[in-house]
Amino acid sequence: RLYLLNNIDKILFNSKWSQKRFFINIGNDELLKQKTSVCYQSTSRTNINFKQKQKIISFIGKLNSAKGYDIFGKAIINILNKFKNWKAFAIGNERRESHIFKHKNFKVLNWLPHNKILNFYKKSSISVVCSRWQEPFGRTAMESAAYGCATITSGRGGLPETFDNNLILNNLNSKSLEKIISKIIQKPTLLRNIQKRNLNNVL
């Protein structure tokens, strides 16, 4: 890391979290820090017709425990049993782990092209990004919020920097996730306010 700092003009990080990690055990030399900057990933603003939002909860990413898919799966089965007119989708795969959750209103899809995922966000009402591992940034969280989803995240890594989030899982477990989802489903006005806030306050 010191070699990089001494031999290149600039290092760009995709979050303040990853920038801070880079300087662990190097110290707080301000001259060195001046050679780094944070350049966030971004997405284009889009128009969302909230009347076209459907009762869909989405999980998009690797279907593994690092991404919190097991947490999502356990919570979502209880949610779908409780709210029978809602549906859930997981988009992604994972060959190294196997987490199987079955419900007639829950479908697992393989990876889709990026433009189709963005269109999926347009009709989703709630998105879940409950990573256990320290996400360097978290593009899924940023994009789903930017497309008007009420986006629930963990507070790991750079996830809190993706958008102005007020749905953060303080306790990273299925019960806490189920509680948050239940709350916003049962309060449609709150759900819509969060969706609009996310759309209008992309960082």
Coordinates of all heavy atoms in Angstrom, one line a residue, residues 1-8 11 22 26 35:
R1 N 0.8 -1.2 0.0 CA 0.0 0.0 0.0 C 0.9 1.3 0.0 O 0.5 2.2 -0.7 CB -0.9 0.0 1.2 CG -2.1 -1.1 1.1 CD -2.9 -1.2 2.4 NE -2.1 -1.8 3.4 CZ -2.3 -1.7 4.7 NH1 -3.3 -0.9 5.1 NH2 -1.6 -2.3 5.6
L2 N 1.9 1.2 0.8 CA 2.8 2.4 0.8 C 3.5 2.6 -0.6 O 3.7 3.7 -1.0 CB 3.9 2.2 1.9 CG 3.4 2.5 3.3 CD1 4.4 2.1 4.3 CD2 3.0 3.9 3.5
Y3 N 3.8 1.4 -1.2 CA 4.4 1.5 -2.5 C 3.5 2.2 -3.5 O 3.9 3.0 -4.3 CB 4.8 0.1 -3.0 CG 5.3 0.1 -4.4 CD1 6.7 0.3 -4.7 CD2 4.5 -0.2 -5.5 CE1 7.1 0.3 -6.0 CE2 4.9 -0.2 -6.8 CZ 6.3 0.1 -7.0 OH 6.7 0.1 -8.3
L4 N 2.2 1.8 -3.5 CA 1.2 2.4 -4.3 C 1.1 3.9 -4.1 O 1.2 4.7 -5.0 CB -0.1 1.8 -4.1 CG -0.3 0.3 -4.6 CD1 -1.7 -0.2 -4.2 CD2 -0.2 0.3 -6.2
L5 N 1.1 4.3 -2.8 CA 0.9 5.7 -2.5 C 2.1 6.5 -2.9 O 2.0 7.7 -3.3 CB 0.8 5.9 -1.0 CG -0.6 5.4 -0.4 CD1 -0.5 5.3 1.1 CD2 -1.7 6.4 -0.8
N6 N 3.3 5.9 -2.9 CA 4.5 6.6 -3.3 C 4.8 6.6 -4.8 O 5.7 7.3 -5.2 CB 5.7 6.0 -2.5 CG 5.7 6.4 -1.0 OD1 5.3 7.5 -0.7 ND2 6.0 5.4 -0.2
N7 N 4.1 5.8 -5.5 CA 4.4 5.6 -6.9 C 3.3 5.9 -7.9 O 3.5 5.8 -9.1 CB 4.9 4.2 -7.2 CG 6.3 4.0 -6.6 OD1 7.3 4.3 -7.2 ND2 6.4 3.4 -5.4
I8 N 2.1 6.3 -7.5 CA 1.1 6.7 -8.4 C 0.5 8.0 -8.0 O 0.8 8.5 -6.9 CB 0.0 5.6 -8.5 CG1 -0.7 5.5 -7.1 CG2 0.5 4.3 -8.9 CD1 -1.9 4.5 -7.2
I11 N -5.3 7.4 -6.0 CA -6.1 6.1 -5.8 C -7.5 6.5 -5.5 O -7.8 7.4 -4.6 CB -5.5 5.3 -4.6 CG1 -4.1 4.9 -4.8 CG2 -6.4 4.0 -4.4 CD1 -3.5 4.2 -3.6
F22 N -8.0 0.9 3.8 CA -6.7 1.0 3.1 C -5.6 1.5 4.0 O -4.5 1.1 4.0 CB -6.8 1.8 1.8 CG -5.6 1.9 1.0 CD1 -5.3 0.9 0.1 CD2 -4.7 2.9 1.2 CE1 -4.2 0.9 -0.7 CE2 -3.5 3.0 0.4 CZ -3.3 2.0 -0.6
I26 N -1.3 2.1 8.6 CA -0.4 3.0 7.9 C -0.3 4.3 8.7 O 0.7 5.0 8.7 CB -0.9 3.3 6.5 CG1 -0.7 2.0 5.6 CG2 -0.2 4.5 5.8 CD1 -1.1 2.2 4.1
K35 N -3.6 11.8 -1.5 CA -3.4 11.1 -2.8 C -4.5 10.1 -3.0 O -4.5 9.4 -4.0 CB -2.0 10.4 -2.8 CG -0.8 11.3 -2.6 CD 0.5 10.5 -2.9 CE 0.7 10.3 -4.4 NZ 2.0 9.7 -4.7

